[in-house]
Amino acid sequence: MFFARTPEKTDMQDTTLRTPQLAAWLAGTDIGLLELRTPEGTLRLGRQGDEIVELPDEEAEPELLNIHAPSLGVFLQSHPMATTSLVRIGQRVEAGQIVGLLKIGPLLLPVTAPQAGIVDNIHADDATAVGYGAPLFDLHPL
């Protein structure tokens, strides 16, 4: 039989006291960052080289990365032969993944994610003419 334990004010203190043990466990994995949040605070452990260190709490959200049109053309959210969009808001994408297309005459030019992230916003409507450098997507970097 298992019993749920309600969080107490000592939870963050207990976590802080166990930091060396948590760091040792983290060192035995391929995890790059461990973040524990409680109402009393946050503990962040991460890799710096071969060592596991306590990292400062990052309260600020990371800046959004804008993905711009690499050329002028007609922005397409899906391939003309497909019925589903290449990406949706909230979707995780990998570096180099095609997130949209630019139609330039008969040519389809891929628009790719420069790094891994979460799609936060799509600025251009489907089948809209866009100019070089027009903002197409916002990406939360991972």
Side-chain angles (χ1 to χ4, degrees):
M1 178 181 284
F2 294 97
F3 295 97
R5 183 173 167 268
T6 57
E8 301 171 6
K9 292 211 180 257
T10 58
D11 283 352
M12 195 62 201
Q13 293 169 342
D14 290 344
T15 302
T16 304
L17 294 174
R18 293 185 178 139
T19 299
Q21 183 181 21
L22 292 169
W25 288 337
L26 186 60
T29 71
D30 62 349
I31 297 171
L33 174 68
L34 172 69
E35 182 173 271
L36 299 172
R37 292 180 184 232
T38 70
E40 287 75 39
T42 302
L43 173 67
R44 300 179 82 239
L45 298 175
R47 295 185 184 275
Q48 287 187 346
D50 292 336
E51 294 184 31
I52 303 295
V53 296
E54 191 167 346
L55 301 173
D57 188 14
E58 294 180 355
E59 291 298 325
E61 286 286 318
E63 288 190 31
L64 292 176
L65 176 66
N66 296 317
I67 301 175
H68 299 279
S71 176
L72 59 88
V74 176
F75 173 69
L76 302 175
Q77 292 183 4
S78 63
H79 189 278
M81 302 288 286
T83 57
T84 59
S85 295
L86 292 164
V87 295
R88 300 173 318 280
I89 293 175
Q91 180 178 339
R92 179 188 171 116
V93 296
E94 299 300 325
Q97 180 176 337
I98 298 173
V99 294
L101 298 166
L102 283 181
K103 184 176 181 187
I104 308 165
L107 176 69
L108 293 176
L109 180 67
V111 177
T112 59
Q115 68 183 65
I118 306 290
V119 178
D120 184 68
N121 195 9
I122 303 173
H123 291 285
D125 292 328
D126 191 41
T128 301
V130 296
Y132 170 79
L136 300 177
F137 298 93
D138 288 335
L139 193 67
H140 276 287
L142 295 179

